[in-house]
Amino acid sequence: MFERLKAVKVKKRELFWGSVAITYIIMLILNFLTPLIADDLEYLYKTESFTTILRDEYTQYMTWTGRSIVHIIARVFLLMPKWVFNFINPLAYVLVSILIYRLSTSTISNKYNVVKYLLINIVVWLFIPTFGQVFLWETGSANYLWGSLIMLSFVLMYHLAYIGRTPKIISKNKYFSFFFMIVFGILAGWCNENTSGGVVLLVIAYIFLSKKHGKVSSWMISGLIGSIVGLIIMVIAPGNDVRSTYFARSTWSLPRKLVTGVLKVTQELSVHAMVLLVLTTLVIVISFIVFQKSNKLILSTVYFVTGLATLYVLAVSPAGQNWGRSYYGGILYIIIALFISWPDSIKALDKVLLSGYSAVIIALVVNFTISFIMGVGDIAVSYKKINERYDYLISQRESGNKNPVFGDLEVTGTTSYPAYSSALSHVRRNSDAQVNRSFARYFGLESITSVSESDWENIYQNGDASLMDVYDLTTYLELLANDSNYLVLLSGSVDYSTLGEDILNKLKSIFPNMDTDNEGVVTFSGISSMEKQQVNSTEYSKATSELIGKEMVIESSLSNYQNQNFNWIKINNQEYSRNKPGLNFVVVDKNSLKVLDSVNFSKDDNLDFIGFR
């Protein structure tokens, strides 16, 4: 009999750790399917080396945000090859999933409950907001996943002491335990504003509960003090004040923030988390009524209320009311509350409860299966598209174009599981923003800007690198004039007197029919090497031609011709012009009519013609 029980226990242990291993492998694959994006490259740009991390983070503390602990973690990983993070980050996820399991499991006999562990991962997948941004994206994962690893590990010390299994690390020496927990508390309190605030609430609750059941150790108090100190250090960072100026809510009165914020958070929860909230509430109530386990009721309620508090404190935040990463900590606490009251085994339940819990499990598994397939598919598509863009940048650099344009990634997936999101900071159009400089530096380029996905696919993806590298009008016209394979389409409007004799002569060499005797502001519509085409006029000009079965129509309006101003260049009725004031060029190959470039040259503050794509 004893041998039989031992064999069952060994089998449970093997199945449990097998489930953990499978979870790790899945997360490993998903991490490899998530390239560096957005803030990843910005933090690389802002971190000089391992020896300057603390100095660089101090600068950020003073100028942007107080989340120093998690950002140090991000900087360390970003200075290493991406594959290192890909292998280590899934381990952090597995540890967090085990922490959720440990915090929601109070009996030794339930140490290897495979069903419960798998359900935890299913619920995390289904209800944690922006899964890819908090678990897969390198910078986001450091902020949220790794932050929660620190915070939940800290809370676990109190949880184990409360259920009578004080960790060995804080039971050997009371002086060591006292100072160890101060440091641990500072780290836990210095991770994330609202989630670390939740840690403080949980620790206070555990101390209060421990006081009712016995002695409160000194390390519990020192840990609480440490967590409060860490939270204060983070919240009072001067950078938070700087960052808040970027959000209009910062200028609102507290009552206005509170009312609008509470309504907004409630709305987001009702749309995205109502199933989780209702399920958790029902499980807590059923657990209390049926099983009469007051300890589970109290702990579940503590975590549930802490989760709600962590979520609703967002009401007074300068930003973060929309469903996203800022909801991570609160939802995490509510998931723990759910599984504290979840039955250790549903087999022993009566038929009604067994049917009810079984139905919930089936619903979760079915929903997870569909969601997982769709989510992983979207992650794979996102990976393909992002790397397609990155490969393009590398090919442009190797072709000699040090100033390429980058196609906006318009992810059309149906889920929010990929790390990439339009809410993140990405390469901007015609901008010298830091994210643009960061991308350029990472790929060994001088500059980078973005265009729409359709423009990138139709024009720049297979364009002429030598043309796209030029942003000076004089140099650009020289290239056009010296290559007989170029067919140049021109549409625009400009003050004739500002062109200068050199530019006029170069334009004349490309467009022989150009009238150089005009004065004032005129329009341009021309096709190079084509006779009898109107090249310039005072208000409206148009040039048309047909070549290799393709119709080319160039129109430019200076005044309110047909109630609009425009500079159009259309091939087979598809627009290729940048359609801006100034000179708009579209260059195509004469033989194939493949579009090689599209650029606008407009006056800058120094009255020089600068190119924009």
Side-chain angles (χ1 to χ4, degrees), residues 62-113:
M62 300 300 293
T63 59
W64 190 246
T65 180
R67 296 182 189 175
S68 302
I69 303 302
V70 291
H71 284 149
I72 288 172
I73 295 173
R75 292 178 193 274
V76 169
F77 276 122
L78 287 167
L79 288 174
M80 294 188 285
K82 178 64 164 61
W83 62 264
V84 175
F85 176 81
N86 291 343
F87 277 103
I88 297 178
N89 194 57
L91 180 61
Y93 174 85
V94 165
L95 290 174
V96 167
S97 67
I98 292 174
L99 281 168
I100 296 172
Y101 181 85
R102 293 293 301 276
L103 288 167
S104 61
T105 306
S106 57
T107 59
I108 298 176
S109 61
N110 200 33
K111 191 175 180 180
Y112 299 113
N113 190 328

Side-chain angles (χ1 to χ4, degrees), residues 430 470-474 476 503 580-583 585 599-613:
N430 297 319
V470 179
Y471 287 82
D472 171 70
L473 178 57
T474 302
Y476 195 79
I503 291 177
K580 297 178 181 178
L583 301 174
F585 294 92
V599 62
N600 163 265
F601 287 95
S602 301
K603 291 281 189 178
D604 65 0
D605 294 337
N606 296 321
L607 299 181
D608 296 321
F609 279 99
I610 301 297
F612 297 94
R613 287 182 173 81

Side-chain angles (χ1 to χ4, degrees), residues 16-32 83-95 97-98 117-118 121 135-136 145-146:
F16 182 87
W17 291 113
S19 301
V20 171
I22 291 172
T23 301
Y24 174 85
I25 292 171
I26 291 173
M27 292 301 295
L28 178 69
I29 294 170
L30 297 183
N31 272 268
F32 270 99
W83 62 264
V84 175
F85 176 81
N86 291 343
F87 277 103
I88 297 178
N89 194 57
L91 180 61
Y93 174 85
V94 165
L95 290 174
S97 67
I98 292 174
Y117 177 75
L118 292 177
N121 284 280
F135 292 139
L136 305 177
L145 172 60
W146 286 82

Side-chain angles (χ1 to χ4, degrees), residues 37 99 176 189 252 377 399 420 451-452 508-509 525:
I37 57 173
L99 281 168
F176 170 81
W252 295 1
S399 299
Y420 188 96
V451 294
S452 69
K508 183 79 172 178
S509 68
S525 294

Side-chain angles (χ1 to χ4, degrees), residues 271-286:
V271 172
H272 299 283
M274 183 57 69
V275 172
L276 176 65
L277 295 174
V278 171
L279 178 61
T280 304
T281 302
L282 287 175
V283 170
I284 292 173
V285 171
I286 291 172

Side-chain angles (χ1 to χ4, degrees), residues 283-328:
V283 170
I284 292 173
V285 171
I286 291 172
S287 176
F288 176 68
I289 294 175
V290 175
F291 306 111
Q292 296 291 314
K293 294 184 177 180
S294 58
N295 286 346
K296 281 194 171 186
L297 171 68
I298 292 171
L299 273 185
S300 292
T301 304
V302 165
Y303 275 90
F304 189 74
V305 172
T306 299
L308 291 177
T310 302
L311 295 170
Y312 275 97
V313 75
L314 295 171
V316 294
S317 172
Q321 288 78 31
N322 292 327
W323 184 254
R325 301 186 302 273
S326 55
Y327 285 74
Y328 170 74

Side-chain angles (χ1 to χ4, degrees), residues 72-253:
I72 288 172
I73 295 173
R75 292 178 193 274
V76 169
F77 276 122
L78 287 167
L79 288 174
M80 294 188 285
K82 178 64 164 61
W83 62 264
V84 175
F85 176 81
N86 291 343
F87 277 103
I88 297 178
N89 194 57
L91 180 61
Y93 174 85
V94 165
L95 290 174
V96 167
S97 67
I98 292 174
L99 281 168
I100 296 172
Y101 181 85
R102 293 293 301 276
L103 288 167
S104 61
T105 306
S106 57
T107 59
I108 298 176
S109 61
N110 200 33
K111 191 175 180 180
Y112 299 113
N113 190 328
V114 177
V115 173
K116 184 174 182 179
Y117 177 75
L118 292 177
L119 279 177
I120 287 171
N121 284 280
I122 287 173
V123 170
V124 166
W125 174 272
L126 291 175
F127 296 109
I128 287 291
T130 57
F131 186 94
Q133 291 180 36
V134 298
F135 292 139
L136 305 177
W137 175 36
E138 193 154 338
T139 302
S141 183
N143 271 266
Y144 297 93
L145 172 60
W146 286 82
S148 64
L149 177 59
I150 294 171
M151 290 182 278
L152 294 184
S153 297
F154 176 70
V155 171
L156 182 65
M157 303 294 105
Y158 292 85
H159 179 79
L160 293 176
Y162 172 68
I163 63 175
R165 298 205 297 272
T166 304
K168 293 180 180 179
I169 193 170
I170 57 174
S171 61
K172 291 182 178 180
N173 186 298
K174 66 177 182 179
Y175 298 107
F176 170 81
S177 301
F178 183 87
F179 290 106
F180 171 79
M181 289 302 290
I182 287 180
V183 175
F184 203 173
I186 291 173
L187 294 176
W190 200 349
C191 287
N192 179 285
E193 294 83 359
N194 62 332
T195 312
S196 290
V199 166
V200 173
L201 293 179
L202 288 173
V203 168
I204 291 173
Y206 272 116
I207 290 174
F208 178 77
L209 293 173
S210 297
K211 186 178 180 180
K212 289 182 65 176
H213 291 84
K215 182 181 177 182
V216 174
S217 301
S218 60
W219 64 262
M220 293 183 173
I221 303 300
S222 68
L224 173 61
I225 293 171
S227 63
I228 294 172
V229 169
L231 181 61
I232 291 173
I233 293 173
M234 177 172 53
V235 171
I236 66 172
N240 291 331
D241 293 332
V242 175
R243 188 181 185 187
S244 67
T245 61
Y246 287 80
F247 304 100
R249 281 177 56 86
S250 301
T251 62
W252 295 1
S253 65

